[in-house]
Amino acid sequence: MKNVTIVICNYNYERYLVAAIDSALAQDYPGTEVLVIDDGSTDGSRAIVESYGSRVRAVFKENGGQVSAYNHAIGLLDTDYVIFLDSDDVLYPSAVSEVMRLFDGGAWSKVQFRLDVMDRDGALTGASVPHSQPPHDCGKLLRGGWLYPSPPASGNAYRVSALRQIFPVPEEGVNRYGADFYAIYGVALTGPIATVPKSLGGYRVHNAGGETVSFANSEQLTKAPRAFNMRWAILRNLAMDRLGIELPPAFLDFSHEKATFCSNLYHAKLFSRWSWMLHHSRSYLHTIIANPFWSLKKKLGTLVLSSLCLVPYSPLSDFAVRYIANPLARRRVAGR
């Protein structure tokens, strides 16, 4: 049997850490190992980790950020496969068994799966991510600049040898966070990607609700576009230096573009909304019309919703922005 490590990188998440570790230990795949990397927590995380004794392998390091924690973990791995579980997320008991069925049947660099969206208390919201399934050859699309649909960090299982073609990643300065970006997209340049077509874990959204345009936990809406541009530039250098692959200077991704779209249109005056759409929406519209992962129906629906953001009645236009940005807003409407 091939062994798999579940790595839990933690920083000051004592409130959620027990649920994450318990879900890792509850896997029905016998060859599962659990490694906890505590990145210099100042809360009660260390005591929680130590309470598990020999059931988990624990590493306590000085705070260096998420990239530092990933670099450290990948250097320690002695299994062929790994799942990086965020310390506020959970895996369902069959997660490792399901991904290993695919790894055993093909030379995949990564196997990904959906995550059910939870609120901060762990209650399911009815939403799941991602909403689209990518093709196996995501690397070809990446070489054309397209970021493929992927779940957040916890929804990805990697072949360790593929990760080591990308990592270690520079961790200095502003590049302390976003390690999952390099894992998710960098690994796709090393080989094909497989998808388990069902949810195998829970993704905790701390600001869960349909009354906000924000959906991601780690970064503010206005900061995310700048961070992604920086990470793409670093990934380009890594791809060229380590794989001999030249990526284009800019990337295409609807999630990235909608963050820019929403930050400019939400609560904006009518003139400002129209001005942005007339003069700055080219990339946003391109990632809808030319999107290689979407059906025609989804493209048309998103274009119609985008047009509603320009109506003079601000409650309707702001609702349309929230509906585009936040999957939980859609579930709320569906449940009415």
Side-chain angles (χ1 to χ4, degrees), residues 68 76 196 202 213 230 250-251:
S68 171
L76 293 175
V196 179
V213 294
M230 176 199 70
F251 65 88

Side-chain angles (χ1 to χ4, degrees), residues 195-211:
T195 302
V196 179
K198 61 181 178 181
S199 295
L200 297 179
Y203 170 58
R204 196 183 305 269
V205 177
H206 299 269
N207 57 351
E211 299 303 320

Side-chain angles (χ1 to χ4, degrees), residues 270-306:
L270 180 64
F271 174 80
S272 298
R273 284 184 269 136
W274 273 92
S275 178
W276 189 89
M277 286 294 287
L278 288 172
H279 301 292
H280 305 289
S281 64
R282 180 177 179 180
S283 295
Y284 172 75
L285 294 175
H286 181 69
T287 59
I288 298 173
I289 296 168
N291 198 304
F293 313 108
W294 288 8
S295 66
L296 178 60
K297 179 180 179 181
K298 186 170 183 177
K299 293 178 181 180
L300 291 175
T302 306
L303 289 171
V304 170
L305 280 169
S306 300

Side-chain angles (χ1 to χ4, degrees), residues 102-225:
L102 286 179
F103 274 128
D104 286 341
W108 309 110
S109 287
K110 190 189 89 163
V111 173
Q112 67 179 50
F113 48 88
R114 288 201 307 268
L115 296 172
D116 292 325
V117 178
M118 311 181 297
D119 66 17
R120 69 181 65 187
D121 297 318
L124 296 178
T125 64
S128 62
V129 287
H131 309 115
S132 303
Q133 183 170 316
H136 295 322
D137 189 6
C138 297
K140 180 178 179 180
L141 290 163
L142 272 172
R143 288 189 286 273
W146 283 98
L147 300 188
Y148 67 92
S150 172
S154 302
N156 301 278
Y158 302 96
R159 188 180 297 272
V160 173
S161 60
L163 275 178
R164 286 179 172 156
Q165 294 182 61
I166 305 298
F167 285 80
V169 169
E171 57 192 61
E172 298 80 15
V174 295
N175 198 42
R176 287 169 54 89
Y177 306 103
D180 50 329
F181 179 93
Y182 303 107
I184 288 168
Y185 300 114
V187 161
L189 297 171
T190 71
I193 304 300
T195 302
V196 179
K198 61 181 178 181
S199 295
L200 297 179
Y203 170 58
R204 196 183 305 269
V205 177
H206 299 269
N207 57 351
E211 299 303 320
T212 174
V213 294
S214 180
F215 183 64
N217 290 323
S218 57
E219 292 164 316
Q220 297 177 7
L221 190 68
T222 54
K223 291 183 178 179

